[in-house]
Structure formats: structure tokens, C-alpha cells
Amino acid sequence: MFFSGDSSNRKRVDLGGRSTKERDRQKLLEQTRLERNRRLWLRQQNFAATKIQKCFRGRKVATSEYSKVREQFYGTYGKHCQNADKSCFGPDSDFLRQLLFFFDARSVGDFSILVETCRLLQQFVRDTGDMVSLFAGMDYSSKHALVNYRVKKLAYLCIKAVHQNRNQLKDQLFASPQECTVSTTLLLETVVLLIDHKLPWVCKTVSYLLERKAFTLFREIILTGRASIETHNSIDRVSSLERTLAVVIPHIGQEPCNCPNVGPHWSFSSQILTIPFLWKLLPYLRGVFAARGLSQHYIHQMALCVHNHADVLPNDTSVELPSYACLLGNILESSGVALSQPDCSFEMAVDLAAVATFLLESLPSIKSSNRQSKEDSMVGEDDTEGDDAMEICLNNDLERQICEAIDSRFLLQFTNVLFGGISLVSDSHKAPDDKEVSAVGAACAFLHVTFNTLPLERIMTILAYRTELVPVLWNFMKRCNENQKWSSLSEQLAYLLSGDAPGWLLPLAVFCPVYKHMLTIVDNEEFYEQEKPLSLKDIRSLIIILRQALWQLLWVNPTAPSNSSKSVTSTPAKKKHPVEFIQQRVGIVASELLSQLQDWNNRREFTSPSDFHADGVNDFFISQAVIENTRANDILKQAPFLVPFTSRVKIFTSQLAAARQRHESNSVFTRNRFRIRRDRILEDAYNQMSALSEEDLRGPIRVTFVNEFGVEEAGIDGGGIFKDFMENITRAAFDVQYGLFKETSDHLLYPNPGSGMIHDQHLQFFHFLGILLAKALFEGILVDIPFATFFLSKLKQKYNYLNDLPSLDQELYRHLIFLKHFKGDISELELYFVIVNNEYGEQTEEELLPGGKNLRVTNDNVITFIHLVANHRLNYQIRQQSSHFLRGFQQLIQKDWIDMFNEHELQLLISGSLDSLDIDDLRRNTNYVGGYHSEHYVVDMFWEVLKSFSLENQKKFLKFVTGCSRGPLLGFKYLEPLFCIQRAAGSATDEALDRLPTAATCMNLLKLPPYRSKEQLETKLMYAISAEAGFDLS
């Protein structure tokens, strides 16, 4: 600003509206606050300096006193205790008083004195045999306070000395008592002497040690010395460290012991049982721990921590050896011994289940057999974020320890203890009591988590065949369902399930996979005749329970998309949302079990097919099921049997119609025209169809037939000729004379295992036949090809089991079942693990296992042999043919479409049902033109004649007018277009009446002259449908 000429200072005005005084007041307050804080900081500094000086002076004085007393000790007893005698340990001697005062574990000299003191003590005890008089003289009662103090202090210093010098002594930490000159042996054996259970001060001494976290010291000693254990620890010797722990851990506060319970953070359970591979390091201690009183106490202590959600475990020794996993491995490994005790209590088994469940749930999945596959699966998880994606990989040996601990012996003992007092024949009207609820809850929680964490192969067979798990769980579920007692189980499992989760979740999560596994091994006689393990009546009730539970989970109260398979196997999802995880798991295993029970019902019906249908399926559900990514569509993929078969067929036909419409709209003109010789139909079709792309295969194909004279047959293909072509080519291609397929004794078709011996390009032909069958399905053309059930399973990409063998070879099945139930010595039958193939007179031998030629079938391995034979016949022999057939089939038919149907229903989709040949239904859905109507006398005669035909002639008539010998699956209402009868001649002259009925299959049209009599109509119609003259007839 320019100078205005006014030299006076103008008063500055605060345009913000605040006065200067106010601003000065705020500044003063701030300065006052800062000054107060500075004074406080100075006081704290002075206080801290005073405290440090006080501590330093105290330490300096104490060190000086230690040195003074140490020099007095040297002067009296010598630097190596050479002047010490038996009286030095008495109450009137200064020997222990001085040693306990100045001892410093870091001092080499002090350590040597303590070792020598221990050697002397052990020598004097051996000489006199009386520890009490050595320390207390003749009157312990009057000196007990002093004696107790000295003993517990000496014992603690011995442990502390070993701990402080553990790195220097690491090669001696597992030395045995026989190595009596080793310093660690002398120190630890002294502790064993001092806390012998017969001594009066034992409980006070052990309490003193535990209060000073002795187990933490022991833990660090063991972890330091475990690398060099091979040097000292042999099978026949027990280390002094083990002996010390063995006399400490029985002090659990039970009579006659009066030791107080130590905090869970510093207990034996959290500090010692979390050491990796503890029982390999301390095998003797395992036997001591497994004694009923100890294992039950410590497992109960851990169970209380589980229920209170207390985190009491120490830091992990390494990333691959987390403490909780090491604790789990050690508990499971020792529990086998504890459970085998005749007086093992029910309460211990329940506590063990709670602890093992909690720890297993924290464990990463170890289902994969090797580390690489686990790493691959981790990389594939796209939907995890942050820390969840960093899944921990356990040490291989630790994985092996956990898996091998849950073996057949453990599972048998565990279930026997839990279910030992439960009756399998209890009154169905009586609700389960509290003990049964606890037993079932504990078993289900443990097994559910085990199924989702460990490999299932060994576990499932043991649970299914060597325990009473299936009948016990079914009996429990049946009574809970009838008495509505599920709520008590929800309360029992509150630590695992939160919220208002239904009580039937966990029992179903365990029952379904075990019973499903059992059904893969049980044979038809056991299931239908002997009704093992469940009666057919019980199975009918089970189907109802499973159906209702599944509908509740998937439709009424869904928690997440039912097809989210990633979340089902995801460990982070399991931890964050345990209820949602279990609900998804139950949805999957219940669907699989119901699907398997439906297969059994298809083999031999024991319940109505409608029992599998959900009650809530309505028009709204069906309309939603057609739309991708809807809940109804997900249910249709996961549990299609909940939806009635006719509804699924409607959905399937609508999907096919939509796909055809999409491709027809893209191609205005038909690009694919085939010229087919009737006498070379298969070769011509193969050559022309194989050249088409997948897009062309989905589009319309027009066919022109050439007869045996090389002349094109009359007629324009509007769809009817193509239908005739499809029926003829499928009949030719699947004819057993051609060599690609064989037939069973029931005349059902399956791929010929020896097809390669007949056709060099047999696999390409199977690919072509897969396309052919898919094209028929895609166009809605029914073909009369009866496939064997086990081959239809291959279209669904399912594995075949022993139960499927009757659909291939009844005789072989009977022989295998004979072996399964053979009571004698099977080895006398001279069977080996080989199978003989006989194709076209050429016999070849194949081994079922490596070295099978030299492996005899015995009573121990006969079940394995039976299933290997079934697998060879049903899966292995036709694996290449089935694979190529499926590859061609899936070029036109999506897997999702086929997965809606089981094998029995799939056969109906392919061939239709004879039940659909309902003449009355055809009459109700027929149109009339050219002067005919439903009441016309010729029409009445026609229907009477048609009804009088045999089934075979009715099928011929249907083929004559529609191009297919079977009617639509849902009835003639769905024939496109509807069947129509047209008057063929304008007037009823003799010449007109001499004509034969003709047909236009492309329009499902019958041209029927107005015959005068029923006999004439029958004769002419029979001649027409039996002529098989192709399209020249019309």
C-alpha cells in the first residue's frame, strides 16, 4: 500500500468480530496448560530417576552381599564342596541357607557347586535311605517350615539351572539316569528325589514349582534338546527329564494330592502338550499321561477352555508347526490308550470330542495327499481376500501324526465309549435323554469337522462297517423327529453352532456321508432282503426327513447359493460362518444320499417315486427354474429329484426349444443337406456329419434318401424324412452286428470292450454315435435304443459300483456276492488279483493290482478283490469308448440338462415310454380336415381298428405317421404338430377306395380314404404300415 502521509499507528480491528482480550485469554490458557504438562513431565523424570537409582543401589548391595556370602561358603565348604558332609543338609547347617541365597544360574562356579551338591545329596540318600531325617534331623514337625522352604527352593534352582544353561547342555538334556556323571542327570534326578510322592513336603514343593511356571521352563528345555535326542534316548532307557515330568504331572489337586490348580496358560496342557511330536521325544511320559486320572483331568481342563473360548496356547514353534495342531496330534495319539482303558468314562470321551473338534476346526484342510496339490488348490481360490488367502501348510510329519492317530482302533474305542450305554431298540415314542443327546452331539461335532479336514477313505469304511454309528444316529434322529426334541441338541452344541440353527443339522451332516458310503458297498440281498442296516420302512421315513430338510435348506430358509462349491471347501468360510458352512454341507450330502436312494428305488421299487418330490414345487418354482442363476435353478441342478419328472421334462424341452430357436434364427437357409444311400446309411452319415462344426450340428439338417437303384426318393424333407433318417441310422449304428456295441442278457446295450479289434477307427465312431444320440435328443426325436444302466451313468459322468454290476452281468455279480459271504478259507479257492478278458476267442489276462498275478485272494482282501473286479468290468474296460461317446454327446447336450435326470429317466428321454402309447390320448389330441370330424363313421372305424392292433402294430402305425415308433414322453398333447387325419379322396369311388392310406410325417398327417367297411380299412392300413417302402409309398 502507498504512504498516505499519516505517520500515526492506526488501531488494528479484528474483522472476525472477536475482541483482542478474548484472543489473549485463549493464548494464556494454552501457555498455562503447556507449563503444567512440563512440570508433570519433570516430576515423572525425577521419580523415574529415583526409582532407577534405588533399584541400582539395591542390586549393587545385593550383589555385594551375594559375593560376601559366597566367599564365606568357599571358606567353610570349599569351592567344590570338598568339606561338605551329611550334616550340611540338616536344619542347623548354613550350607543350604548360604547356597540358596547367593546361587546364580548364570555363574559357572555356582552351577558347579549346585551339581556337586546334588551329587552329594543323592549319595547320602543312598547311604541312609531317609530323605526326611537328612533335611529335618529327628523332628520334622518342629522344623517343617524351614525344611519345606529349603526343599522347594532347591528343587526350583535345579530346574532353573538346567533351563538357564540349556544351550550349553543341549546334548545332555535327554540323558538317562544311567549316565550318572552328566550334570543334567544329577540336577533332574535330584528333583525326582525331592518330590517323591512319599515325602511329606511333596505337594508344597510341586505347588511352588508350578506357581513359578515350571512347565514353561520344561517346555523350553525340551524344545532346545529335541534336535539331539537320538544321542541319548534309546528304546530301553527313560530320560531323567521324563522322570521329572512324570512325578510332577500327577499333582492335579485330586486326593490325596492337595496342590492348587495352576492357571491354564502355564499348565501341562498348554506348555508341554503343544510341543511337536511330544510322545516321540518322551515315550515313557505318554504311558503316565494316558492313565485315566491324568488324561481325563487334563482333557477336561482343555474342554473348559474350549467352552469359555480361552486362548491359552503358547507361541508357535514355527509356521508349519502351530501349537494348536501339535496339541491335537499329541492328544489324539495318547487318547487311543486312554480310551482303551476298561474304566474310561463317558465324560472323558465327551470332553475329548469337544477339544478335538475345536482344534480340528482350526486346522487347514489336509485332504490332499501331497503338498503340491494343496498349493495348487490355494492358488485357485479367487474369492478369498487378505489373510484368508494365505492358508497355512502343516508340516508333513505333523499331518501324518494327526491322520494316523484317527485310525480304526481310535474310532472304534471312541464310538464304543460314547454309544456303549445307548440302546438301539428303545421306544420310538420316548424322546432321547440328556446322556444320549450329549453322546450324539459330541460324536457328530467331532466327525463332521473330521470329514471336512482329514482324508475320508479309511475313516468312512470303519465308521460304516465296524461301528454302530448308522443305526445309533438313525434311531436318534427318528425319535427326535417324532418327539420334536431337536432343540436340546442345539443347546448341547452351542459352542459350535451359533444362533437358532436347527438341531438336525449336525446329525445329518454325519449320517448322510457315512450311510451313503455304506450303500456303495452293500449288496442287493443285504439291502432288499436282509434290510441291513436299516429296514425298508425306516428308509421310507428317512427319505421323508431328508426331503423336508433339503427343501428347508435350499428353498424355505436358504443361507447362501446352494451351488457355491468353493465356499463349501473353503477353510476361511468355515471359520467365519460355521452355521452357513454346515447348512451348505448338509445340502450337498443330503442331496447325494437321496439321489443314491432314488437309484436303489429304480432298481427295485420299495417306495413311491413321489416320496422324493418336495411338497412346495408349484408353477412359480417351475417358472423360476428355467432362469439361470435363480434359487430354483440352483435347486434343479443340486437336487433335481425334488421336482416331479414331468416338470423337469417340460423344463428340458423348453431349454431345447430355446436352443433350437437361437440357431434357427441365425440361419435363414438350411446349409446342411445330406444325400444318404439307404444301404450305406451309416457310412454316408458318418462321412457327412463328421465334417460339420458344432454350430452346424445344432442347426437344421435336411436329408434326401437314395434307394437301392440309385434313385432319389420322392418327398421334400420338412422334418419327417430327417426323423426317419435318425431312426434308421440309430438302429444301424447301435446294432450289435456292427461290433461297436454289445448287449447284456436283458438285451441292453453297452460299448463293446473289444471294438478296437473290429474297427481301426472305433473311437472316432463312438464320438460320432455320441453326436448322433445327442442330435436325436436335441431335436426331440425318440429312438428305440435300450441302454444298460451302467453305461447311462457314464453320460452323467458317474462312477459305477458293485451294485451296478447286475445291469451288465448277473452271473458275475452272483459269483462275487458268493465270495463276499463265503464262510470258509477263500485262499483255498486259488484266486489271484487277475481277470481274464475273452474277446472274439482271444483270451488275455490283466492284473487288478500291480503284482496281482502273485497276490492271492484271502479272507482279509476279498472285499478289495470284489470291488476291483466290478470296477474293471463297469468302468475300466469301456473307459475309452465311454469317454469319446460322452465327448460327442456333450457337443450338443449340456451337462446341466442331463444332470436333471437319473439313469432310468434318461432312458425315458432317449426312447420314450410304452405307457405313452395311449390310443385314447392320441384320439383326444387329433385334428380333422378335408371333411372328416370326430363323429364321422370312417373316423370311428379307424379308432376301433387302431385299438384292436397289437402293441407292435400300434408302434408301426405311429412310426408310419410321425416317423417315430414311440409317442411324446408327456403324451400326445405335446406332439408337434398335433396328429391330423385328412380325407384322401373327394368321392368314394372304387378307384379311390382301392388306394392305400398315406402319410406326411413332417406334419404328422394321415391321409385316409373313406373306406366302407372296418375289414377293408384294417387290411389297407396294415399293408401300408408294414410295407416299409420309404417315402415312395406316398
Side-chain angles (χ1 to χ4, degrees):
M1 178 179 274
F2 295 106
F3 177 62
S4 63
D6 185 1
S7 60
S8 63
N9 290 328
R10 292 179 178 273
K11 184 177 181 180
R12 299 180 65 85
V13 179
D14 190 344
L15 298 179
R18 293 174 300 179
S19 68
T20 307
K21 292 180 180 178
E22 182 181 351
R23 187 169 64 250
D24 292 344
R25 185 164 59 251
Q26 291 293 336
K27 187 175 180 181
L28 178 62
L29 291 172
E30 180 65 20
Q31 288 175 347
T32 304
R33 187 183 65 78
L34 292 174
E35 186 65 24
R36 185 168 59 250
N37 289 342
R38 190 180 68 82
R39 290 195 302 271
L40 176 63
W41 183 69
L42 285 174
R43 282 198 302 274
Q44 290 173 341
Q45 269 191 324
N46 291 335
F47 178 77
T50 303
K51 194 171 183 179
I52 292 170
Q53 291 170 7
K54 180 180 177 182
C55 182
F56 176 76
R57 286 194 298 270
R59 183 65 62 84
K60 186 176 180 182
V61 171
T63 304
S64 174
E65 285 299 313
Y66 293 154
S67 300
K68 192 184 300 181
V69 174
R70 186 180 288 111
E71 291 301 322
Q72 292 175 4
F73 183 90
Y74 289 164
T76 306
Y77 304 105
K79 286 190 174 182
H80 301 291
C81 300
Q82 61 267 29
N83 300 329
D85 57 14
K86 184 170 66 173
S87 63
C88 293
F89 293 93
D92 300 325
S93 172
D94 289 337
F95 179 81
L96 284 178
R97 182 183 65 79
Q98 292 178 344
L99 175 62
L100 298 177
F101 176 73
F102 70 75
F103 180 78
D104 183 358
R106 293 168 295 182
S107 168
V108 176
D110 289 0
F111 182 81
S112 300
I113 290 174
L114 183 63
V115 170
E116 185 60 25
T117 300
C118 292
R119 188 188 65 76
L120 290 172
L121 177 62
Q122 291 178 39
Q123 178 184 331
F124 295 149
V125 170
R126 280 195 301 270
D127 292 344
T128 64
D130 186 2
M131 175 79 78
V132 176
S133 61
L134 187 66
F135 278 94
M138 301 305 295
D139 186 11
Y140 169 73
S141 58
S142 62
K143 310 277 187 171
H144 72 275
L146 174 63
V147 172
N148 291 350
Y149 173 78
R150 288 184 174 180
V151 169
K152 66 186 182 184
K153 193 76 174 176
L154 178 60
Y156 178 71
L157 289 184
C158 289
I159 298 172
K160 186 71 176 175
V162 176
H163 174 264
Q164 188 68 46
N165 298 279
R166 63 189 183 280
N167 291 317
Q168 294 85 353
L169 303 171
K170 60 184 177 181
D171 293 334
Q172 304 176 13
L173 295 177
F174 286 92
S176 65
Q178 287 77 9
E179 299 172 77
C180 54
T181 59
V182 175
S183 56
T184 54
T185 298
L186 290 168
L187 292 168
L188 293 174
E189 286 298 322
T190 298
V191 178
V192 174
L193 278 176
L194 292 175
I195 56 176
D196 184 273
H197 70 281
K198 298 176 183 176
L199 298 174
W201 56 69
V202 58
C203 286
K204 292 187 179 297
T205 304
V206 172
S207 298
Y208 182 83
L209 296 178
L210 298 183
E211 287 168 4
R212 275 151 185 76
K213 305 174 184 176
F215 284 128
T216 305
L217 304 182
F218 282 126
R219 172 184 175 83
E220 293 175 2
I221 291 170
I222 295 170
L223 291 175
T224 303
R226 62 177 177 167
S228 58
I229 188 171
E230 291 81 4
T231 309
H232 293 284
N233 194 33
S234 66
I235 295 175
D236 300 325
R237 292 186 176 183
V238 179
S239 68
S240 295
L241 184 58
E242 278 186 277
R243 284 167 46 81
T244 307
L245 284 167
V247 294
V248 173
I249 62 173
H251 290 267
I252 55 178
Q254 297 179 0
E255 292 294 338
C257 172
N258 57 10
C259 294
N261 285 328
V262 67
H265 287 83
W266 320 114
S267 68
F268 175 77
S269 305
S270 60
Q271 294 296 325
I272 304 300
L273 288 179
T274 53
I275 295 173
F277 316 110
L278 176 68
W279 308 127
K280 192 179 292 184
L281 302 174
L282 310 173
Y284 169 72
L285 190 65
R286 175 183 176 182
V288 176
F289 174 75
R292 176 177 179 263
L294 296 186
S295 55
Q296 179 164 350
H297 168 79
Y298 286 113
I299 289 174
H300 180 66
Q301 189 181 56
M302 287 182 278
L304 292 177
C305 295
V306 168
H307 289 298
N308 297 326
H309 301 286
D311 183 11
V312 298
L313 299 184
N315 295 331
D316 300 338
T317 54
S318 71
V319 176
E320 290 190 340
L321 296 169
S323 295
Y324 66 88
C326 297
L327 175 62
L328 175 66
N330 292 328
I331 288 176
L332 292 174
E333 201 172 355
S334 63
S335 296
V337 180
L339 290 170
S340 64
Q341 303 293 327
D343 55 351
C344 180
S345 71
F346 172 81
E347 289 74 18
M348 184 210 161
V350 172
D351 286 337
L352 173 63
V355 174
T357 299
F358 177 78
L359 296 174
L360 275 168
E361 200 178 21
S362 305
L363 212 63
S365 176
I366 54 179
K367 289 180 180 247
S368 49
S369 57
N370 55 62
R371 179 66 48 84
Q372 185 61 43
S373 62
K374 250 197 295 187
E375 291 173 354
D376 294 343
S377 65
M378 284 165 53
V379 172
E381 289 289 344
D382 299 328
D383 56 343
T384 55
E385 296 181 2
D387 296 337
D388 291 346
M390 299 298 292
E391 187 176 326
I392 296 171
C393 285
L394 292 185
N395 175 277
N396 286 336
D397 292 332
L398 181 56
E399 284 188 0
R400 197 176 304 113
Q401 181 192 24
I402 295 171
C403 291
E404 291 177 356
I406 305 180
D407 58 5
S408 59
R409 183 183 172 195
F410 173 86
L411 290 171
L412 280 171
Q413 293 166 346
F414 176 68
T415 53
N416 286 341
V417 174
L418 281 178
F419 300 148
I422 297 177
S423 172
L424 297 179
V425 292
S426 54
D427 184 5
S428 61
H429 299 293
K430 182 182 177 184
D433 57 25
D434 292 340
K435 183 177 180 181
E436 186 175 353
V437 170
S438 297
V440 170
C444 290
F446 171 73
L447 292 174
H448 165 70
V449 179
T450 302
F451 292 165
N452 293 303
T453 308
L454 304 184
L456 295 178
E457 293 77 18
R458 295 180 299 110
I459 299 175
M460 281 299 180
T461 302
I462 295 160
L463 291 173
Y465 279 95
R466 300 184 62 187
T467 71
E468 295 293 326
L469 182 68
V470 167
V472 166
L473 284 185
W474 167 244
N475 188 39
F476 175 82
M477 291 191 300
K478 181 170 64 172
R479 287 185 292 131
C480 280
N481 187 60
E482 291 175 358
N483 296 279
Q484 296 302 309
K485 182 78 174 172
W486 293 115
S487 57
S488 58
L489 193 61
S490 299
E491 295 164 7
Q492 169 76 22
L493 298 170
Y495 71 95
L496 187 66
L497 297 175
S498 57
D500 55 350
W504 42 261
L505 266 183
L506 272 181
L508 283 182
V510 173
F511 175 85
C512 289
V514 177
Y515 187 47
K516 172 178 173 285
H517 181 79
M518 183 178 281
L519 290 179
T520 61
I521 304 175
V522 74
D523 58 67
N524 291 338
E525 183 181 352
E526 290 171 326
F527 185 89
Y528 295 112
E529 310 301 336
Q530 301 174 10
E531 299 191 10
K532 291 181 179 178
L534 302 181
S535 68
L536 295 180
K537 179 183 176 182
D538 281 343
I539 294 175
R540 285 191 284 271
S541 301
L542 172 63
I543 290 169
I544 303 299
I545 293 175
L546 290 176
R547 184 195 73 198
Q548 292 173 346
L550 199 55
W551 186 251
Q552 187 79 13
L553 289 174
L554 300 183
W555 182 253
V556 179
N557 293 315
T559 55
S562 56
N563 63 345
S564 53
S565 57
K566 278 188 178 181
S567 62
V568 169
T569 56
S570 164
T571 300
K574 185 168 57 176
K575 291 177 183 175
K576 288 181 180 177
H577 310 289
V579 177
E580 288 84 346
F581 171 78
I582 295 174
Q583 286 182 325
Q584 290 180 42
R585 183 67 189 158
V586 171
I588 291 172
V589 295
S591 298
E592 291 173 347
L593 178 56
L594 268 176
S595 177
Q596 201 164 8
L597 289 171
Q598 191 183 40
D599 290 342
W600 281 94
N601 197 48
N602 288 334
R603 292 189 194 109
R604 189 190 303 178
E605 191 169 300
F606 57 84
T607 189
S608 170
S610 62
D611 284 348
F612 293 91
H613 302 158
D615 298 329
V617 176
N618 51 27
D619 292 339
F620 171 74
F621 180 91
I622 299 300
S623 65
Q624 290 290 301
V626 185
I627 306 170
E628 283 290 329
N629 300 320
T630 60
R631 196 190 313 161
N633 184 259
D634 291 339
I635 293 174
L636 195 64
K637 293 175 181 176
Q638 181 175 332
F641 43 79
L642 293 175
V643 183
F645 175 58
T646 53
S647 299
R648 281 178 280 134
V649 172
K650 290 176 185 176
I651 293 170
F652 178 66
T653 51
S654 68
Q655 289 171 330
L656 290 178
R660 288 196 300 268
Q661 190 174 5
R662 283 196 301 271
H663 287 86
E664 287 172 3
S665 61
N666 294 336
S667 56
V668 179
F669 302 103
T670 304
R671 293 181 295 178
N672 308 309
R673 298 185 179 276
F674 291 175
R675 193 171 184 272
I676 304 293
R677 294 170 292 178
R678 281 196 181 270
D679 55 345
R680 303 295 296 274
I681 187 170
L682 185 58
E683 290 82 353
D684 288 354
Y686 173 74
N687 292 330
Q688 295 178 61
M689 255 183 147
S690 299
L692 297 183
S693 66
E694 186 174 322
E695 189 71 21
D696 288 337
L697 286 170
R698 291 175 179 269
I701 297 174
R702 296 293 174 252
V703 174
T704 300
F705 277 117
V706 178
N707 63 21
E708 64 270 23
F709 305 111
V711 179
E712 290 187 358
E713 294 181 3
I716 298 173
D717 188 2
I721 300 178
F722 178 71
K723 283 197 287 184
D724 182 62
F725 159 73
M726 289 299 294
E727 186 151 320
N728 280 288
I729 191 175
T730 50
R731 188 189 302 119
F734 291 97
D735 192 330
V736 293
Q737 299 298 322
Y738 198 71
L740 292 176
F741 275 79
K742 296 180 77 172
E743 65 178 12
T744 67
S745 58
D746 297 328
H747 306 292
L748 302 176
L749 297 176
Y750 67 96
N752 180 6
S755 57
M757 301 172 67
I758 300 175
H759 300 281
D760 293 334
Q761 294 184 315
H762 67 121
L763 296 180
Q764 289 84 343
F765 269 107
F766 276 106
H767 184 271
F768 163 68
L769 293 183
I771 293 174
L772 205 59
L773 184 63
K775 182 64 175 174
L777 264 180
F778 190 79
E779 298 294 343
I781 299 172
L782 298 175
V783 289
D784 194 4
I785 308 172
F787 288 112
T789 307
F790 78 94
F791 174 61
L792 290 172
S793 296
K794 295 303 175 186
L795 294 184
K796 292 174 60 62
Q797 296 178 260
K798 282 171 62 176
Y799 183 88
N800 289 304
Y801 293 93
L802 176 65
N803 308 317
D804 301 298
L805 190 57
S807 69
L808 170 64
D809 191 335
Q810 281 276 6
E811 192 67 22
L812 176 60
Y813 178 76
R814 280 196 294 271
H815 290 160
L816 293 179
I817 296 303
F818 168 79
L819 285 180
K820 181 179 178 181
H821 298 289
F822 188 70
K823 300 299 182 184
D825 185 0
I826 291 182
S827 61
E828 294 178 356
L829 301 179
E830 292 289 332
L831 295 173
Y832 292 85
F833 276 77
V834 294
I835 193 166
V836 177
N837 299 318
N838 189 352
E839 299 294 341
Y840 301 105
E842 183 178 324
Q843 284 195 348
T844 56
E845 231 181 38
E846 282 190 69
E847 291 185 331
L848 296 172
L849 285 175
K853 290 181 179 179
N854 303 315
L855 182 60
R856 181 176 289 192
V857 179
T858 65
N859 292 71
D860 293 331
N861 61 23
V862 66
I863 298 296
T864 303
F865 173 77
I866 288 169
H867 286 278
L868 285 174
V869 171
N871 172 63
H872 183 85
R873 293 296 191 207
L874 295 169
N875 300 301
Y876 185 79
Q877 267 193 329
I878 60 170
R879 67 193 185 284
Q880 289 184 316
Q881 292 90 332
S882 300
S883 175
H884 282 77
F885 190 95
L886 178 64
R887 207 171 299 160
F889 185 79
Q890 289 185 341
Q891 280 191 249
L892 279 84
I893 302 296
Q894 296 178 20
K895 184 178 182 296
D896 290 347
W897 297 349
I898 289 302
D899 285 345
M900 287 193 291
F901 306 98
N902 60 40
E903 290 82 352
H904 175 71
E905 294 167 343
L906 186 54
Q907 182 65 61
L908 292 178
L909 282 182
I910 294 169
S911 302
S913 170
L914 291 180
D915 297 339
S916 64
L917 258 180
D918 185 347
I919 302 302
D920 292 331
D921 180 47
L922 179 60
R923 184 171 187 174
R924 284 193 298 271
N925 294 283
T926 299
N927 294 327
Y928 304 95
V929 293
Y932 283 153
H933 53 81
S934 59
E935 304 297 331
H936 197 282
Y937 78 95
V938 176
V939 171
D940 286 338
M941 282 194 302
F942 165 77
W943 290 117
E944 289 176 17
V945 167
L946 188 57
K947 284 192 86 170
S948 68
F949 279 1
S950 66
L951 179 61
E952 190 61 34
N953 287 332
Q954 287 177 351
K955 289 169 66 175
K956 286 182 179 180
F957 166 78
L958 202 56
K959 184 189 174 186
F960 177 72
V961 295
T962 66
C964 182
S965 59
R966 298 198 177 200
L969 202 57
L970 301 177
F972 288 101
K973 178 182 178 182
Y974 292 90
L975 187 65
E976 284 288 338
L978 287 178
F979 176 54
C980 182
I981 300 177
Q982 177 184 346
R983 183 166 175 153
S987 60
T989 61
D990 291 340
E991 183 183 351
L993 296 178
D994 196 41
R995 294 178 59 183
L996 291 173
T998 57
T1001 54
C1002 56
M1003 296 182 290
N1004 298 327
L1005 176 68
L1006 174 66
K1007 300 173 185 177
L1008 183 65
Y1011 299 114
R1012 295 194 179 109
S1013 68
K1014 189 188 296 185
E1015 292 75 16
Q1016 186 184 24
L1017 191 151
E1018 181 177 358
T1019 304
K1020 296 289 186 181
L1021 185 60
M1022 183 64 74
Y1023 184 85
I1025 65 176
S1026 304
E1028 296 183 353
F1031 286 83
D1032 284 338
L1033 186 66
S1034 60

